[in-house]
């Protein structure tokens, strides 16, 4: 039995942070960082049957063209993704009454799709582009706490990037769902996404503070790794994807991160209408589900 301190349920039986019951989970889950973006997605639904808010976690459950969907906000950062992925998985793969993990043959694999904003690192990935993440590279510490198994290419990229950046730890590198990327990413830019534990220094932004590595951005932009699979480069910055991909692998869920490019760090520009870029990505994704 999983103790009360580990699997925490609210008085109504919902899970601690997300405030959701197993019935609120559809097999396809759309996630967004910004709580305000949940309604930007669900306004396209035919109907909304359930809404809840707890902290930064806002959820709407409804139907889009007859398909039941759950859309929820995560807030920012992989520390929140640790909560979201563990609680979503618990909602489908733990029996809340018995407080036991369901047997392997009864476990469910969710389709989890992040619809987020992102900053491009490369001049040829322009503002307005939609980018589907192939590999995520985590500069955060989440995978210090889980036994993630990385493949050959993932380990090679992690080792080389650590050397390039001269940092005292290896990033973690994880490939996302090929199935979802083929289904939802057709005609999008394919890229490798750097997940950072912050928006300013960790993404090389300088307002009043200097960076430890003054040429950090150019080291990331020019990073290349050659392998039998071709050339690997880093294309964009954000703050959650590596958490999703690594926990998706560990828990057995299909996960895809889609990125609306709203900033370009190579040219120094920011989108004049970021909401429109996000809207276009939301509409296209809903049509392809
Ligand atoms: C930073 O502004 C936030 O935007 C990106 C980053 O990952 C970070 O969460 O994603 P969202 O627009 O989904 O929040
Ligand atoms: N989100 C990020 O994390 N970085 C950007 O540059 C834009 C959006």
């Amino acid at each position: 039995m999983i103790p009360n301190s580990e699997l925490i349920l609210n008085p109504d039986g919902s899970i601690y942070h997300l405030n959701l019951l197993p019935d609120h989970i559809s097999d396809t889950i759309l996630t967004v960082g910004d709580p305000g973006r949940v309604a930007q997605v669900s306004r396209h639904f035919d109907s909304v049957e359930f809404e809840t808010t707890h902290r930064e976690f806002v959820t709407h459950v409804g139907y889009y063209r007859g398909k039941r969907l759950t859309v929820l906000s995560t807030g920012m950062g992989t520390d929140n993704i640790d909560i979201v992925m563990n609680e979503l998985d618990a909602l489908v793969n733990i029996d809340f009454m018995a407080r036991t993990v369901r047997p392997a043959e009864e476990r469910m694999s969710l389709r989890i799709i992040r619809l987020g904003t992102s900053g491009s690192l490369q001049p040829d990935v322009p503002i307005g582009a939609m980018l589907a993440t192939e590999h995520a590279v985590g500069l955060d510490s989440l995978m210090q706490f889980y036994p993630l198994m990385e493949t050959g290419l993932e380990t090679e990229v992690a080792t080389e990037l650590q050397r390039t950046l001269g940092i005292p730890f290896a990033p973690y590198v994880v490939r996302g769902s090929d199935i979802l990327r083929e289904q939802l990413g057709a005609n999008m830019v394919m890229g490798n996404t750097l997940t950072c534990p912050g928006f300013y220094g960790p993404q090389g932004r300088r307002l009043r503070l200097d960076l430890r590595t003054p040429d950090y951005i150019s080291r990331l932009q020019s990073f290349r790794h050659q392998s039998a699979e071709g050339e690997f480069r880093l294309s964009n910055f954000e703050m959650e994807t590596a958490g999703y991909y690594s926990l998706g692998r560990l828990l057995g869920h299909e996960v895809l991160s889609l990125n609306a490019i709203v900033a370009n760090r190579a040219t120094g520009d920011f989108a004049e209408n970021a909401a429109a870029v996000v809207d276009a990505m939301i509409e296209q994704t809903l049509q392809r589900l």
Side-chain angles (χ1 to χ4, degrees), residues 149-167:
M149 298 292 285
E150 288 165 276
T151 66
L153 175 66
E154 292 168 348
T155 313
E156 286 166 25
V157 169
T159 308
E160 258 181 60
L161 189 57
Q162 178 179 8
R163 199 168 12 198
T164 298
L165 295 179
I167 49 178

Side-chain angles (χ1 to χ4, degrees), residues 32-34 37 75-77 114-117 199 238-240:
V32 299
D34 178 358
R37 202 179 302 146
M76 293 184 268
R114 166 184 180 265
L115 298 167
T117 60
F199 185 80
E238 52 73 79
M239 295 171 57
E240 292 86 24

